[in-house]
Amino acid sequence: IERATGTFTMALTSGSSGSIALILCVLTFSMMQLFKEQLSAGQLNTILGGFVGSWFFIFLLTAVGNLGTFLFGKGYQARIFPEILFCVLVSVVASATVHRVCATVCLIFSLIALYYINQLSQKTYGQIKPKELVAKTSKGRNK
């Protein structure tokens, strides 16, 4: 990554990254189902199950985002509705198949992870202003 010139070299292409994220998503869900009894055995284990569910959310969001980039081009961004909401709902339902508390913990950890993913994205790619805000500021400067 070269910040001075503003060019970024990604480690993987969108297709490769999306494929790996999808494989990790399937593996995470499979492990959650395989260790369902152990994850629902105690309080700390249910918290661990929710934490694993939040990793499922991260992998699923990465796969969906890379699929969008692959299909719609480099300027694609995942929006709150429908992409992020879909990923949160799927990960919460996947965690709920283990234990109800896992679903709640998964939601909390997923929202925390989403906050930090957003912060990392803004730091890496910069904050993009909406077109309306840019139009208003350019009108004010001409007067």
Side-chain angles (χ1 to χ4, degrees), residues 15-105:
S16 306
S17 176
S19 301
I20 290 172
L22 190 61
I23 290 169
L24 289 172
C25 195
V26 170
L27 284 174
T28 305
F29 180 73
S30 300
M31 289 296 131
M32 286 174 67
Q33 295 304 309
L34 186 64
F35 294 108
K36 181 188 289 193
E37 292 181 21
Q38 289 86 356
L39 289 174
S40 61
Q43 286 181 338
L44 289 176
N45 291 349
T46 55
I47 293 172
L48 178 65
F51 182 71
V52 172
S54 71
W55 277 101
F56 178 77
F57 163 74
I58 292 170
F59 296 141
L60 185 62
L61 183 62
T62 302
V64 168
N66 284 318
L67 177 67
T69 302
F70 183 73
L71 293 176
F72 302 118
K74 195 170 186 170
Y76 175 79
Q77 294 179 346
R79 307 260 184 232
I80 291 177
F81 182 79
E83 294 93 357
I84 294 175
L85 187 63
F86 168 76
C87 293
V88 167
L89 287 176
V90 169
S91 63
V92 167
V93 169
S95 296
T97 62
V98 174
H99 194 275
R100 290 179 296 175
V101 176
C102 287
T104 306
V105 173

Side-chain angles (χ1 to χ4, degrees), residues 134-143:
V134 173
K136 287 180 183 178
T137 56
S138 64
K139 286 181 183 177
R141 290 180 186 164
N142 291 338
K143 290 182 178 181

